[in-house]
Amino acid sequence: MQSRTRARSAGSTGNSGNHLSPGDELEAKVAQLWFWEGFYSRRGVNLERHYQEPLTITDVDLFAFDFSPQLALTKYIGEVKSGTGKSAAKPLDRIIWLRGLKELIGADAAELTIASRVSDNVRSLGRSLGVSAQHVQDFERRESDAVGPLADLGSHGVSSFALEKKVQATCKRQEDLERAFWFLRGEVFFLEPFLAIKQLVELLRRVSQLWTPRMQDDESQAVRWLAAEAVSLLTLNLVAAAGIAITLSRESWNALAAEKMAEGAVPMHQMRRLSDSVDKFVAGVLTTAKVAPDIRTGVIGAFLPEPPDYTDSLAETCWRMKSDALVARALPRQMDLLLFERLVLQRDLSTSAISRMGLDRDGAVRMRHLVAAFLRGCDASFDQLETALNKTDRPAS
């Protein structure tokens, strides 16, 4: 019982009105800890939307990403269990379960946070399986060191969990908004970077068209939340794409970006084979019909998909990111904090948050402006989003 009380109260920020279960509260706080320890983290990533099948495992408690200095992407997952009764989850069972989920998702490592006692033998076995295990007390110690007064900022913390539930309820009233919400809470995490970028840009275009300052408060908050989440995830994928450019020449990178942006769910090499087959068939039909040679030549490749009109801008944006990789690797977390504070919560960032995240450094400001310019060129922005990205930081007192 002592562990459960501790799990409920660790790092408490006066959330009694949010009515979260102890499990939800602990989950939100662990995701917050991961963020302040240096990871781009999310909680409650839906699996059913990705696999389009009913699953016993409906979602992943924690999902996180990290970039190396060369922008290589590492993926982590986690699970949180706050129960301590006789029917509570056993550490070894959950470690074995997490190992399987890690393999399914393609994560590089996993972490279990649990209120039940974790023996040294179980910890050792977990490490051998790529799964670290910690008791709630271990979490509290880490939380005290890493989070402190920075709790409940940006997209993380107990208050953010409650806000997301409110946004979800608002989005449920409109089919397009609900589809956008679940895309951002599910499918996008399982897409390769270029396809994710295309779909996030399209989502932001639609959200930008919906935006008007005259919206009802709940709708306005939901649209701002969707925009912040989409730009945050777009930045993550832009940096992931930039990591691919590290070892390429500019010419090779431009060609790869155009090819990747042209293809959809079907890889480009398959589309080329299909296009060639269609070209041969159409050419035969036109020859039989005695169509002029210049017309026959003009239809060659008509079936081959074209990249979107912002592809050159995308290639340039990612190239600049990879050219300043040490700054770019921190950008997704910086954008996440900044957008949720300014755009969603509509407040200035504290001095301690600005300093901790390096938001006022020249490189960070320059990189944010680069993303803002990309969004503007894609017609995927609106006035409040522009202001959030471009205004000068004035720390809150």
Side-chain angles (χ1 to χ4, degrees):
M1 192 60 158
Q2 183 180 10
S3 295
R4 179 175 293 185
T5 302
R6 187 178 288 116
R8 187 183 301 115
S9 61
S12 177
T13 53
N15 58 296
S16 58
N18 291 333
H19 306 298
L20 298 184
S21 70
D24 286 343
E25 187 172 333
L26 184 58
E27 183 180 305
K29 290 177 179 177
V30 176
Q32 177 178 255
L33 170 66
W34 282 17
F35 179 83
W36 289 110
E37 285 185 334
F39 298 95
Y40 180 97
S41 61
R42 284 294 182 268
R43 47 145 301 278
V45 173
N46 190 278
L47 291 176
E48 289 185 316
R49 299 276 170 166
H50 170 61
Y51 291 105
Q52 298 183 356
E53 293 286 345
L55 296 170
T56 303
I57 311 167
T58 57
D59 58 21
V60 181
D61 286 354
L62 302 166
F63 224 135
F65 302 89
D66 189 27
F67 289 99
S68 75
Q70 294 78 37
L71 302 185
L73 185 63
T74 305
K75 185 188 302 182
Y76 302 86
I77 61 170
E79 186 183 15
V80 175
K81 292 294 180 184
S82 63
T84 57
K86 290 183 179 180
S87 61
K90 302 298 186 289
L92 183 55
D93 288 342
R94 303 322 293 175
I95 284 173
I96 294 171
W97 181 87
L98 261 178
R99 168 58 189 259
L101 187 58
K102 180 172 79 76
E103 295 298 321
L104 174 68
I105 292 174
D108 299 281
E111 181 178 271
L112 171 67
T113 302
I114 193 164
S116 302
R117 177 180 174 273
V118 185
S119 69
D120 291 341
N121 286 339
V122 168
R123 291 178 194 265
S124 178
L125 177 59
R127 286 193 293 270
S128 72
L129 297 175
V131 180
S132 61
Q134 67 173 353
H135 187 266
V136 169
Q137 289 178 332
D138 303 315
F139 155 73
E140 288 175 338
R141 189 163 46 248
R142 288 169 61 188
E143 183 187 44
S144 177
D145 291 340
V147 181
L150 298 172
D152 273 328
L153 294 181
S155 64
H156 290 285
V158 173
S159 296
S160 177
F161 191 116
L163 173 60
E164 183 181 320
K165 292 296 183 185
K166 181 181 177 182
V167 168
Q168 180 183 347
T170 301
C171 290
K172 194 173 182 180
R173 301 173 199 159
Q174 295 186 40
E175 185 178 350
D176 287 348
L177 293 184
E178 185 177 30
R179 190 182 303 116
F181 178 89
W182 286 115
F183 174 75
L184 296 172
R185 270 287 164 263
E187 296 106 303
V188 68
F189 290 93
F190 304 98
L191 300 176
E192 61 85 25
F194 292 97
L195 185 55
I197 289 167
K198 280 205 298 187
Q199 295 198 22
L200 286 165
V201 167
E202 183 58 31
L203 187 154
L204 281 163
R205 283 174 165 174
R206 294 181 181 183
V207 167
S208 298
Q209 291 170 358
L210 288 173
W211 171 254
T212 168
R214 296 184 297 276
M215 297 179 79
Q216 296 293 323
D217 288 346
D218 285 353
E219 288 186 342
S220 171
Q221 188 174 61
V223 169
R224 286 186 279 110
W225 188 96
L226 291 171
E229 187 74 6
V231 176
S232 174
L233 288 163
L234 175 65
T235 306
L236 178 75
N237 282 280
L238 286 171
V239 176
I244 301 171
I246 289 284
T247 58
L248 299 178
S249 68
R250 183 61 188 269
E251 182 180 3
S252 297
W253 164 245
N254 287 348
L256 177 65
E259 179 176 303
K260 287 291 187 180
M261 293 301 289
E263 70 183 25
V266 180
M268 182 56 75
H269 68 274
Q270 295 182 17
M271 290 301 300
R272 284 203 182 95
R273 287 203 298 269
L274 184 57
S275 179
D276 289 344
S277 298
V278 172
D279 286 345
K280 290 176 183 178
F281 173 77
V282 172
V285 171
L286 295 180
T287 299
T288 301
K290 297 182 180 181
V291 173
D294 59 330
I295 296 178
R296 297 203 303 268
T297 302
V299 300
I300 292 175
F303 192 74
L304 198 63
E306 293 289 329
D309 55 7
Y310 57 83
T311 299
D312 289 345
S313 175
L314 168 71
E316 176 67 22
T317 298
C318 292
W319 188 261
R320 292 191 185 185
M321 286 180 171
K322 78 95 188 175
S323 299
D324 201 353
L326 290 178
V327 174
R329 67 185 297 216
L331 185 63
R333 293 177 64 243
Q334 292 173 341
M335 292 283 278
D336 188 54
L337 176 64
L338 180 143
L339 284 169
F340 273 86
E341 283 293 299
R342 287 182 177 175
L343 182 62
V344 181
L345 300 172
Q346 297 187 303
R347 62 193 186 193
D348 290 329
L349 289 104
S350 66
T351 303
S352 58
I354 291 173
S355 176
R356 176 78 169 268
M357 295 295 291
L359 287 167
D360 53 350
R361 295 172 188 164
D362 290 344
V365 174
R366 184 172 62 251
M367 207 67 80
R368 290 202 301 272
H369 290 171
L370 180 65
V371 175
F374 173 71
L375 291 171
R376 199 161 46 244
C378 297
D379 294 323
S381 189
F382 53 94
D383 53 358
Q384 281 207 2
L385 176 56
E386 283 272 327
T387 300
L389 288 172
N390 291 315
K391 78 173 184 179
T392 304
D393 288 299
R394 287 201 303 262
S397 57

